Amino acid sequence: MKKTLFKITGVICIGLGVAGIPIPVLPTTPFLLLAAYFFCKSDPRLYKWLLNNKLLGKYIENYTVKKKIPIKEKIYTLTLLWAGISFSAFAFNTPIAIKLLLLGIAIGVSAHVLSFRS
């Protein structure tokens, strides 16, 4: 039962990860990492398929093995991050505490993305 639940959850994570490739506010890599985890625990065949997949495997390999994010993806990620945070903070009547929280999140995510080599 647990393995079946993990497989289903892994497939859902792959769907969300694939959807995140063209949709800027949906992260791709975290969902693919979750899928890899769930497949690793439930079905080694699916885990191997995910890691060797031409499109999806590179996200996992870049993050876990190579510890790098291509410069083009860094620029894309940071641009969309700051545009989304800025819009959320200033387009609405947002309390100052929420604006500060959003700023802190943006700084934290930016530092994490920039900590990877290109």
Side-chain angles (χ1 to χ4, degrees), residues 5-15 31 34-36 38-39:
L5 182 62
F6 276 18
K7 283 182 194 178
I8 292 169
T9 306
V11 169
I12 291 169
C13 288
I14 286 179
F31 285 118
L34 273 173
F38 286 120
F39 288 158

Side-chain angles (χ1 to χ4, degrees), residues 3-118:
K3 285 186 177 191
T4 303
L5 182 62
F6 276 18
K7 283 182 194 178
I8 292 169
T9 306
V11 169
I12 291 169
C13 288
I14 286 179
L16 291 170
V18 169
I21 294 172
I23 300 172
V25 295
L26 196 61
T28 299
T29 304
F31 285 118
L32 294 179
L33 291 172
L34 273 173
Y37 170 79
F38 286 120
F39 288 158
C40 181
K41 297 293 184 185
S42 64
D43 189 341
R45 186 179 53 85
L46 287 173
Y47 177 71
K48 198 184 258 186
W49 170 82
L50 180 60
L51 294 182
N52 294 321
N53 185 283
K54 271 175 72 173
L55 175 65
L56 306 177
K58 71 175 183 162
Y59 287 98
I60 297 169
E61 182 182 1
N62 281 342
Y63 192 86
T64 59
V65 177
K66 295 180 180 177
K67 304 281 190 219
K68 73 174 195 168
I69 300 173
I71 191 72
K72 183 179 172 183
E73 289 181 28
K74 278 185 181 181
I75 292 168
Y76 179 73
T77 299
L78 293 175
T79 301
L80 291 175
L81 168 73
W82 283 96
I85 293 286
S86 298
F87 179 77
S88 298
F90 300 109
F92 305 104
N93 188 14
T94 310
I96 190 74
I98 300 297
K99 288 180 182 180
L100 291 174
L101 177 65
L102 290 172
L103 177 63
I105 290 170
I107 290 170
V109 171
S110 296
H112 179 69
V113 168
L114 292 172
S115 72
F116 285 83
R117 56 189 175 86
S118 296

